[in-house]
Amino acid sequence: MRRLLLLASLVLLAAAAPACKPPTCPPPPVTPPAAETVASWVDPARPRVAVELDGRPRVAVLDTAYPRSAIELGRAVPDQDDAILTLGGASAGPLHWDLWVAPEGADLVAGADVLSQLPLVLDARARATRFLPAFLPGDGVAPLTLWSSGLCRGDDAQGGPEGPDLLLVNAELEGRPVTLAVDTGADITIVRTDTVSDLGSRPLLSGIVVESHFIGRNLLTATRARSLSIGGAISVAAPVLVTSLGGLERQGGLSEWYRDAPAQIDGLLGMSFLREFEVSLALGDGAGGRALGLTRFDTQDHWSRHFVGVGVATMPNDSPAGLRVASVFTPSPAAAAGLRVDDVILTVNGAPAASLPTPWGVPGTVVELRYQRGGSLLTAQVEIKDLLPDPAP
């Protein structure tokens, strides 16, 4: 009996004891530049800039929706967790690096753990990012909310901050309120499927290869939004990708990935919208009270319309020299001509495919593709088209 009473007492004490609070982890140290500096993009369409990691030259993707800065496995440096990242005159570190499969032409990603703390301005027309010495007063076009749990990854104080340090903004997609995370690493805005009305009656294009921290590597479907607006800043007929995968699978899906998630995150605001504006992430006090600045460029000839071509996504191929087909869009001329994934396009109208800018002509142009499939050489006549027309008003 005494043993039973003792056990009962221990159970009661355990029930009465307060739960241990998970440890908190501050963000990594970040120091803005002493004066405004400009970092030119090494990619004409994406914010990729030259940086240094402990004095070693690197190329970094500036990705405000990649929670933790990451480095290509083959480009790691000795004692990298103690290394200092220098970008645009600013410095960050030591950082808790993730490992990453880098896209062509990049070595690492400067993620939200760093960029959310820096006052910066992205200018797609000038193909440059400006790093400012301090945040500036201003209301912008809409408030920004910083989502960060303040906790440690795996509840281990040695594991560094959990993040995800996303900058969230309220927008309207064809008049419907949505909350989006600013994502400078995404070529195209991504939204949950249930945020887009009448999907079955508007033009769609499937087979779009996307790799994102929140949805992994997947094939998504594209359409065009009649309008996407933030405050008074509006983009018309901008492409969007729709998905029901990963952390965007449903309302509040990201709460299973990170703690203290906001009630609503509907997608990722990518460069297909941001490229039309000078984008300021330098308004506010650097913590609470942040704002998004969007100033529309008076000219828009610095970018080209997405999804004009024959309907393939490609990557460089060394042997044989050419472009390897990573995906075939449907519907498209390439799909109708029978091109397949892993075909290697060698020439376009007799010119080496790898050396040609895209698209390979204006809509209506017919080009001859010479390509290799296994040990066979094949040709196809395909027409260049606007593969994703605007939806009806």
Side-chain angles (χ1 to χ4, degrees), residues 199-362:
L199 266 179
S201 60
R202 66 170 72 207
L204 301 174
L205 190 66
S206 63
I208 315 303
V209 180
V210 173
E211 186 161 355
S212 163
H213 174 80
F214 293 105
I215 61 174
R217 181 179 174 85
N218 282 288
L219 297 178
L220 303 188
T221 297
T223 188
R224 292 191 186 275
R226 296 180 181 91
S227 65
L228 178 58
S229 62
I230 300 175
I234 302 175
S235 176
V236 176
V240 295
L241 299 172
V242 295
T243 183
S244 57
L245 299 169
L248 300 180
E249 62 188 348
R250 63 187 179 279
Q251 189 81 346
L254 287 177
S255 63
E256 297 180 5
W257 295 37
Y258 297 95
R259 290 168 285 188
D260 297 334
Q264 178 176 348
I265 297 182
D266 300 298
L268 308 171
L269 184 69
M271 292 301 296
S272 57
F273 175 90
L274 299 172
R275 65 187 179 180
E276 299 184 27
F277 308 90
E278 181 184 79
V279 180
S280 177
L281 300 177
L283 300 178
D285 58 11
R290 298 280 295 274
L292 175 65
L294 294 172
T295 304
R296 187 172 183 81
F297 295 121
D298 56 359
T299 60
Q300 293 290 330
D301 54 4
H302 58 285
W303 57 270
S304 57
R305 183 175 171 92
H306 276 98
F307 304 121
V308 174
V310 300
V312 291
T314 62
M315 61 182 65
N317 195 78
D318 292 331
S319 182
L323 299 173
R324 181 174 296 276
V325 175
S327 174
V328 180
F329 307 155
T330 55
S332 72
L339 268 76
R340 302 176 187 172
V341 171
D342 286 335
D343 288 346
V344 179
I345 301 174
L346 306 174
T347 63
V348 179
N349 287 341
S355 64
L356 296 176
T358 55
W360 295 322
V362 298

Side-chain angles (χ1 to χ4, degrees), residues 36-234:
E36 179 176 326
T37 58
V38 178
S40 297
W41 297 358
V42 298
D43 184 309
R46 302 173 181 88
R48 298 179 181 178
V49 300
V51 300
E52 290 186 354
L53 186 60
D54 260 8
R56 298 172 175 86
R58 296 285 188 265
V59 173
V61 177
L62 304 182
D63 191 340
T64 55
Y66 204 96
R68 182 181 287 202
S69 296
I71 190 167
E72 169 70 35
L73 178 60
R75 302 290 284 170
V77 300
D79 301 319
Q80 68 183 33
D81 284 346
D82 296 322
I84 300 300
L85 176 66
T86 304
L87 66 168
S91 62
L95 302 173
H96 290 81
W97 292 92
D98 277 349
L99 296 179
W100 184 54
V101 179
E104 187 77 18
D107 306 304
L108 58 87
V109 56
D113 54 342
V114 171
L115 300 180
S116 65
Q117 301 186 65
L118 284 174
L120 53 87
V121 178
L122 291 100
D123 187 334
R125 186 170 66 174
R127 298 182 174 89
T129 297
R130 303 202 311 272
F131 294 83
L132 307 186
F135 285 89
L136 305 173
D139 296 330
V141 297
L144 281 175
T145 301
L146 176 64
W147 169 29
S148 180
S149 72
L151 303 175
C152 304
R153 179 180 287 190
D155 288 337
D156 180 1
Q158 302 302 313
E162 176 181 82
D165 301 313
L166 298 186
L167 295 170
L168 307 179
V169 64
N170 291 329
E172 288 192 356
L173 181 64
E174 298 180 344
R176 178 174 183 166
V178 292
T179 299
L180 305 176
V182 179
D183 188 351
T184 58
D187 287 348
I188 301 175
T189 295
I190 304 173
V191 296
R192 276 203 335 270
T193 303
D194 60 7
T195 64
V196 182
S197 62
D198 66 350
L199 266 179
S201 60
R202 66 170 72 207
L204 301 174
L205 190 66
S206 63
I208 315 303
V209 180
V210 173
E211 186 161 355
S212 163
H213 174 80
F214 293 105
I215 61 174
R217 181 179 174 85
N218 282 288
L219 297 178
L220 303 188
T221 297
T223 188
R224 292 191 186 275
R226 296 180 181 91
S227 65
L228 178 58
S229 62
I230 300 175
I234 302 175

